Amino acid sequence: MPYSAEHKQATRGRIVDCARELFNLKGFTEVTVNEIMLLAGLTHGGFYNHFASKDELYVEAVQPNNQCSSMATSLDGLELAEQVINAYVSKTHLEDIKHQCPMIALPSDIARSGPEVKQAYEVSLNNMASVFEGISFRTGSKKSRQRALGLVALCVGGMVIARTVDNKELAEEIRKAALETAKKLVKQT
Amino acid sequence: MPYSAEHKQATRGRIVDCARELFNLKGFTEVTVNEIMLLAGLTHGGFYNHFASKDELYVEAVQPNNQCSSMATSLDGLELAEQVINAYVSKTHLEDIKHQCPMIALPSDIARSGPEVKQAYEVSLNNMASVFEGISFRTGSKKSRQRALGLVALCVGGMVIARTVDNKELAEEIRKAALETAKKLVKQT
DNA sequence: TGTACATCAGTGAACGCGCGTTCACTGATGTAC
DNA sequence: TGTACATCAGTGAACGCGCGTTCACTGATGTAC
């Protein structure tokens, strides 16, 4: 058994990470297999030792990553929600495109993808909504769920739109507006 | 002067319309020039009688269209804002991908495009924000602008996310949550 | 009114080029003895 | 401990295919006489 199993798994993981960064920057179709492999320090031919196709890699790259879905700390309730919002709708997160949440960087691409990719995305969405749902209401009520999803739409939407404009000042204006509106909503009963 | 000037302009307009529909459905890179021309009832070679390149067409296709930016009616203030929200965050608009607002169908593609495309997009955004800004506050204040942009983030964001999930029920849940939250925000002072 | 003509929107074959994928190979590694 | 071996991660040339773009052409149209 030449090369340990860990070695192969590490390489595979590296490919996925590099792919995610490139997808975030340029979108799925605009990134070539060769480009990904070069960034991972390999040559393109070896790609198919790890994945059956470029599409298979896509599913894996969009999979909920830690940063985004499990930024849960020991805090809970209102404090946690505010912390998540501050981090998610932050200038740092907006500008760090490579490591950005796929929900922000790739919504259109995901909307056109197959069910596997979309379902991976739904997991991230639901995770975020869960954090917001545990704020102050009794979790599980129709109202609390609705408010949680509204907050998700606001936070993610604000970031998506901010990334879309050319004017840097307008982008910041949008981000801050989404941030303040979200905080206001959280504080309301 | 064979063929009237109107004839050429009409053909060009038809190409742009067909392109917009296809871009909304599949994104910019996934749509071929041939595909667009066939939908317009022409052959691909003629494309370059109308446009210098595929990119030039892209700029034009994303240009703010009537549906989206100027749904302004004779109403004004709060009533207008509510009407815009109801129409924009509607089930009809969510499902009519072909004629959807580019802000919903193409945010990621636009985020990766050149300045011309992004600036066209900014015009749409600002139009929408203006409608929301004239609600009940004194227009022009910092607060009213912030609230307007928050509403834009919420409405557009809710629609973008709803389009992204596979589960139809979840999509509707998200859309309704964004709709209700937006209405709530509009009614506040 | 009828005919010859010039224009140019539209046609479709052909072109390069770049991409995803395949495949015969190489050489670093862990194992057997 | 040292050596021969089998494995398989990684290499890089080659493949088809589809795309954007070009170009020589065709034929419908409006104009001149």
Side-chain angles (χ1 to χ4, degrees):
Chain A
M1 232 173 279
Y3 294 100
S4 63
E6 294 81 42
H7 177 258
K8 186 166 185 185
Q9 212 178 341
T11 304
R12 186 190 164 97
R14 193 151 35 89
I15 295 172
V16 173
D17 288 341
C18 293
R20 196 186 347 254
E21 289 190 11
L22 290 169
F23 290 159
N24 269 9
L25 284 169
K26 305 167 64 175
F28 180 60
T29 20
E30 282 77 8
V31 175
T32 67
V33 169
N34 187 39
E35 206 175 348
I36 296 166
M37 294 302 274
L38 286 180
L39 187 63
L42 299 164
T43 52
H44 64 280
F47 179 80
Y48 297 89
N49 284 332
H50 296 279
F51 302 94
S53 68
K54 195 187 167 193
D55 285 81
E56 192 181 302
L57 168 66
Y58 193 32
V59 175
E60 198 141 340
V62 172
Q63 217 85 5
N65 54 349
N66 325 2
Q67 281 198 312
C68 190
S69 61
S70 68
M71 69 190 331
T73 66
S74 56
L75 303 167
D76 61 345
L78 206 147
E79 214 170 335
L80 172 60
E82 280 211 323
Q83 193 171 310
V84 168
I85 289 172
N86 274 321
Y88 198 88
V89 192
S90 68
K91 198 175 184 201
T92 317
H93 190 199
L94 180 62
E95 285 169 354
D96 187 12
I97 299 180
K98 278 190 192 174
H99 307 100
Q100 213 167 48
C101 174
M103 294 197 285
I104 295 170
L106 299 166
S108 307
D109 306 78
I110 294 167
R112 295 171 208 131
S113 303
E116 299 95 342
V117 172
K118 289 183 163 192
Q119 278 154 25
Y121 183 92
E122 282 181 35
V123 173
S124 297
L125 268 186
N126 275 320
N127 282 343
M128 194 171 181
S130 298
V131 171
F132 291 144
E133 203 172 347
I135 296 174
S136 62
F137 279 107
R138 236 46 52 213
T139 304
S141 83
K142 198 187 157 198
K143 275 284 166 203
S144 71
R145 169 77 174 168
Q146 186 180 86
R147 189 169 72 157
L149 288 175
L151 274 167
V152 171
L154 182 55
C155 292
V156 177
M159 293 291 277
V160 168
I161 295 171
R163 262 209 54 180
T164 305
V165 297
D166 194 38
N167 182 339
K168 283 267 176 194
E169 289 166 30
L170 180 57
E172 266 298 281
E173 214 185 345
I174 293 167
R175 183 187 68 76
K176 284 177 186 163
L179 179 62
E180 294 307 321
T181 310
K183 284 181 174 175
K184 194 170 87 180
L185 279 175
V186 163
K187 277 175 193 147
Q188 283 171 21
T189 325
Chain B
M1 232 173 277
Y3 292 100
S4 63
E6 293 82 43
H7 177 257
K8 185 166 187 186
Q9 214 181 339
T11 304
R12 186 189 164 98
R14 193 151 36 90
I15 296 172
V16 173
D17 289 341
C18 294
R20 191 178 1 244
E21 289 190 9
L22 290 169
F23 290 158
N24 269 10
L25 284 168
K26 303 169 66 176
F28 181 60
T29 20
E30 282 78 6
V31 175
T32 67
V33 168
N34 187 39
E35 207 175 347
I36 296 166
M37 294 302 274
L38 287 179
L39 187 61
L42 299 164
T43 52
H44 64 280
F47 179 79
Y48 297 88
N49 285 330
H50 296 280
F51 303 94
S53 68
K54 195 187 167 193
D55 285 80
E56 191 181 303
L57 169 65
Y58 193 32
V59 175
E60 197 141 342
V62 172
Q63 217 84 6
N65 54 351
N66 326 5
Q67 281 198 312
C68 191
S69 61
S70 68
M71 69 192 327
T73 66
S74 56
L75 303 166
D76 59 346
L78 206 148
E79 214 170 336
L80 173 59
E82 280 211 320
Q83 193 171 311
V84 169
I85 290 172
N86 274 320
Y88 198 89
V89 193
S90 67
K91 199 176 183 200
T92 317
H93 190 199
L94 180 62
E95 285 170 353
D96 187 12
I97 299 180
K98 278 190 193 174
H99 306 101
Q100 213 166 47
C101 175
M103 295 198 284
I104 296 170
L106 299 166
S108 308
D109 305 79
I110 293 167
R112 295 169 208 132
S113 303
E116 300 95 342
V117 172
K118 288 182 162 190
Q119 277 152 27
Y121 183 93
E122 283 181 33
V123 172
S124 298
L125 267 185
N126 276 319
N127 281 343
M128 196 171 180
S130 298
V131 171
F132 291 145
E133 204 173 347
I135 295 174
S136 61
F137 280 104
R138 235 48 50 211
T139 303
S141 82
K142 197 186 156 201
K143 275 284 167 201
S144 72
R145 170 76 173 167
Q146 185 178 304
R147 190 169 70 157
L149 288 175
L151 274 167
V152 171
L154 182 56
C155 292
V156 177
M159 293 292 276
V160 168
I161 296 172
R163 261 210 54 180
T164 305
V165 297
D166 194 39
N167 181 340
K168 283 268 177 194
E169 288 166 29
L170 179 57
E172 265 298 280
E173 212 184 347
I174 293 167
R175 182 187 68 77
K176 284 177 188 163
L179 179 61
E180 294 307 320
T181 310
K183 283 182 177 175
K184 195 169 87 180
L185 279 175
V186 163
K187 277 175 193 145
Q188 283 171 21
T189 326

